[in-house]
Amino acid sequence: MKSKHLKISFGLFWALCMIFVMSPASFAETVSSPELSSYTFMVYLNGTDLESEDQGDGTVAGAGSNDLDEMMAIGSEPGVLNVVVQTGGTKQWRNTSISPETNQRWYIKNNEMELIEDVGQVNMAEPETLKDFIIWTATEYPAEKYVLALWNHGGGAHGGYAHDELFEDKSTLSLADIRTALEQASGQSGIAFELIGFDACLMATIETAYIVSPFTKYFIGSEETEPGHGWNYTPIFQKILDDPTISGDKLGEAIAQGFREQALEWDTADETTLSVINAKKIGPVIEALEALVSKAGTDIDEPAAYVEFAKGRNKAEDYGNSGGAHGDSTDMVDIGNLAKQLQNQHPEETSNIISALNNAVVFNLTPPEKKPNATGLTVYLPCKDKEGFEDKLTNYKEINFSPVYTEFIEKYGQIVVSDTTGVELEDSNPASTSDQENSTAGSSNILSSAASAYNGEDITLPSKSFSNSNIRVINFNKPVDANTIFINENIYITNDKNGTSTPFLIEKYELTDNNTKLTLTTKDYFEPGETYSIYIKKDISSKEIKSTDGKTLKDNYKMVFTIISEDRFEIKIKESDISKVNMIYSVLGQYYDNNTKIRFLGMDNDVDFDETTGIVRDNFDGTWVQLGGQFVSLFLMDENDGKYSYSVPIKLNGQDMDLQIIYDTNTETTSILGAWKGIDPDTGLSDRNIIKLKAGDIITPMFYSYDLVTDKDEDIPGEPFTVQDPTKLELQGDYLPQGEYLYGFYIEDIAQNDTCSEFVDISLLD
């Protein structure tokens, strides 16, 4: 038996040898390693609502499917580029080849997706899932260089990245989870990345760079929220095919450039930030940051130093700030801009931060209009979200970022949270205890004159006004010649201060009410107590109103008037609290329903604040902002060099949104960025979709309302309107309708405490 067994075994062995000899190709395929490519590009595509959200027309958003289309426009090329994608995390895919019931791994070819493996339904927000994808891809598709793109929502340092909408816990892949996945993948496979990037919002943080720095040469991410289209993968892959030896920093730059070019096509360029970081140069930035907070951490024990540091923090540029009616904040602040705001207090430390940051940031997209101070990296520093500080701190400590910095933000955050007093006010002025009456043509900034004879005599015109107006309204007792009025050389205004006549530049005129009412707008402002002269040419045939030297004034009618100061609503902040003021807003409300309810029209910063005396005065002129011909509730978010960012709560086609708007006072132009849902309260992740307005959209302005009888509040709709041409939609001021209004001041201090003044009732009359 034994010899027979040996004989059979020998026969089998001989047969197998013959097969291998006869089929060398089959043998090579069985035992050889996969072909080594120049690049393997991994995309961890966690679809969530970016893919599945219902668009209201029977379709889904399909942002992930759109990016897959961009990938397939180029696809893989054997020996050069492998494009490998894992899909999952969403309830429905627009690309029907992908199953929402399971996670799948795909090899992307030109115009084709090849399903390689089905791994079952696993949570895309678990580090184990990410680790397995990295190891599997590195094993199956080895390359000289690897890229990992993490695709989904982002929430900054404490919010992490992505949640899986197929799982109810709403947990995200935290930075600590990402480190775990990368550590285990690196330990088990030996993989090192050329570039790790986040095609997601708010992930260009120094904490993220710190987490990925042991595993990659370069890192790319966005400081601000990303528009829904995200990166453009077509030019990225083409760049690799054109230059298979391309380095991670140059590839990152190509990603950023393609991102901006697509944003220009999609009209989202005002929202785009993207920076490429040399991960090996993050250490000096952290060291410089530690030096700053070590010094500041000692200084803030002194109240004055705390106030100055907090002022700098409040002024520095923030990211992921919902504000408006759906207020929330990630408290992620630009590191370079923070250093700039603190440079007077800590010149050496902030200079070192800026120098180290410039060395680490190898490419930074030109900052957009929305966030002009983006320098490449943010850091978590408590400010606006006092209520969420403890939860954010707990998440933050799990990162194991710099112990020095973590200790500082815990100390500083606790000081801010415990500071609950707010600023105190002196006794209100008499205007706060009595009603004010204003006409919509003669209140606040509008200077209104009494009717006067147009007879060529010197006339002193009584005028009541608030100061700093540049508008003059003149009422005539008979019609005037429109041709006379509307020729530029026919009107001349001088300020007769100190016996001299300084000419005013007139910007525009308006003759109304059957040619009996003239409204002049000047470049300069009329001031209380000053005397002015207006010269108007008698008729067209008479001589010029002024000679070339601008001094000879003859053959014209002359009117002299003196601006008389009128009481303005004012408050006074206690001297000891003046330095603690961060922002002062005017708040306007409108009575309705027989004056039993108030709807609030919003907040603006058009107030006069004397930082020496602490006096705050109103600039209310009887007007408010309209959009699409309807008054809206307006909330000021921030201001940079005359560019004001506003948030307007609306319903867009029935969905609650905040309309993001920038108004440039330098050019008097409006930029409507789009509608945004803000920060998800369950996941802490920022909505990536800034929805552009289109013709046919229905906008319903929303207002916060308070019932004086029941002591209850609610959000109420205003008058809806349909967008005709979104490019012509602008913020425009207009006079409020006749009625009863409420006006007051809202003061925010450096610790985000709010103080409300007494409110005054204002009657606006036709």
Side-chain angles (χ1 to χ4, degrees), residues 527-703:
E527 296 285 351
E530 301 289 339
T531 299
Y532 302 87
S533 296
I534 295 181
Y535 301 86
I536 301 178
K537 191 174 179 181
K538 288 182 178 180
D539 58 63
I540 298 175
S541 62
S542 64
K543 296 179 181 179
E544 294 292 334
I545 194 167
K546 60 181 182 292
S547 63
T548 55
D549 62 9
K551 295 180 180 179
T552 304
L553 304 169
K554 58 185 179 179
D555 292 330
N556 52 73
Y557 297 119
K558 177 182 178 183
M559 290 178 286
V560 179
F561 62 93
T562 300
I563 303 298
I564 303 171
S565 180
E566 182 180 68
D567 286 338
R568 299 167 64 185
F569 175 45
E570 70 176 42
I571 59 173
K572 185 174 183 180
I573 297 170
K574 282 192 173 182
E575 183 178 356
S576 59
D577 287 347
I578 293 174
S579 64
K580 295 167 60 177
V581 172
N582 179 47
M583 287 291 291
I584 302 178
Y585 302 92
S586 60
V587 181
L588 183 65
Q590 180 183 28
Y591 287 100
Y592 71 102
D593 201 1
N594 294 321
N595 291 351
T596 62
K597 297 178 181 178
I598 303 170
R599 73 166 184 169
F600 286 89
L601 298 177
M603 302 162 60
D604 201 359
N605 69 339
D606 186 18
V607 300
D608 287 338
F609 175 41
D610 188 326
E611 296 186 37
T612 302
T613 64
I615 293 176
V616 183
R617 293 189 178 94
D618 80 278
N619 274 328
F620 180 58
D621 62 359
T623 66
W624 195 249
V625 172
Q626 285 190 338
L627 185 70
Q630 299 295 328
F631 289 106
V632 294
S633 186
L634 191 73
F635 294 86
L636 177 67
M637 305 299 296
D638 55 50
E639 183 268 334
N640 279 296
D641 298 327
K643 294 181 180 180
Y644 291 80
S645 296
Y646 291 101
S647 180
V648 176
I650 63 168
K651 283 187 181 293
L652 178 62
N653 302 321
Q655 292 192 47
D656 287 326
M657 299 273 187
D658 276 327
L659 200 59
Q660 305 289 299
I661 300 175
I662 294 176
Y663 182 74
D664 189 338
T665 58
N666 303 305
T667 59
E668 296 185 350
T669 55
T670 301
S671 298
I672 298 180
L673 303 181
W676 185 46
K677 288 183 179 178
I679 307 294
D680 188 317
D682 294 325
T683 64
L685 300 178
S686 170
D687 182 29
R688 187 165 130 178
N689 287 309
I690 303 290
I691 300 174
K692 291 295 177 181
L693 299 182
K694 60 183 184 300
D697 280 340
I698 298 175
I699 292 178
T700 304
M702 298 299 295
F703 300 88

Side-chain angles (χ1 to χ4, degrees), residues 727-749:
T727 63
K728 295 181 179 179
L729 202 58
E730 293 186 345
L731 290 179
Q732 294 179 323
D734 201 358
Y735 290 111
L736 289 159
Q738 176 179 344
E740 303 298 318
Y741 293 83
L742 196 69
Y743 183 95
F745 298 113
Y746 175 93
I747 305 167
E748 178 185 273
D749 74 0

Side-chain angles (χ1 to χ4, degrees), residues 61-262:
S65 293
N66 289 340
D67 279 354
L68 286 168
D69 290 342
E70 294 171 359
M71 297 176 202
M72 286 187 284
I74 300 295
S76 304
E77 183 172 312
V80 180
L81 171 64
N82 300 310
V83 180
V84 185
V85 179
Q86 177 157 320
T87 57
T90 188
K91 297 175 182 177
Q92 186 176 358
W93 290 92
R94 181 179 60 77
N95 185 327
T96 56
S97 297
I98 307 172
S99 171
E101 306 297 329
T102 183
N103 292 34
Q104 296 172 305
R105 291 170 178 165
W106 305 84
Y107 186 71
I108 307 300
K109 300 179 179 180
N110 182 242
N111 296 321
E112 182 184 353
M113 291 172 54
E114 181 183 353
L115 179 60
I116 304 299
E117 188 173 21
D118 189 318
V119 295
Q121 190 180 89
V122 290
N123 193 335
M124 293 282 278
E126 290 291 338
E128 187 79 10
T129 308
L130 176 58
K131 178 208 72 174
D132 289 346
F133 171 60
I134 294 171
I135 293 174
W136 176 84
T137 305
T139 302
E140 297 296 322
Y141 302 97
E144 295 174 3
K145 296 176 182 177
Y146 295 94
V147 177
L148 173 63
L150 297 159
W151 190 104
N152 193 243
H153 293 291
H158 46 72
Y161 149 86
H163 77 282
D164 189 319
E165 70 176 7
L166 300 178
F167 292 81
E168 295 182 358
D169 63 1
K170 297 288 185 180
S171 62
T172 64
L173 200 63
S174 69
L175 291 188
D177 290 334
I178 292 172
R179 176 177 52 215
T180 297
L182 293 173
E183 280 179 345
Q184 293 179 359
S186 176
Q188 294 179 37
S189 69
I191 188 172
F193 288 95
E194 182 73 13
L195 177 67
I196 292 178
F198 287 82
D199 191 356
C201 301
L202 304 172
M203 297 307 291
T205 78
I206 194 168
E207 297 91 346
T208 311
Y210 164 76
I211 288 294
V212 303
S213 61
F215 314 104
T216 186
K217 292 181 181 178
Y218 298 97
F219 159 68
I220 183 170
S222 173
E223 288 189 83
E224 181 56 309
T225 55
E226 267 197 6
H229 57 73
W231 299 356
N232 185 357
Y233 288 86
T234 301
I236 298 172
F237 297 158
Q238 187 62 57
K239 193 74 174 179
I240 296 174
L241 295 185
D242 291 343
D243 181 9
T245 65
I246 189 171
S247 59
D249 57 336
K250 295 302 180 183
L251 182 59
E253 183 176 342
I255 292 172
Q257 296 286 19
F259 177 55
R260 174 59 62 84
E261 289 170 7
Q262 187 176 57

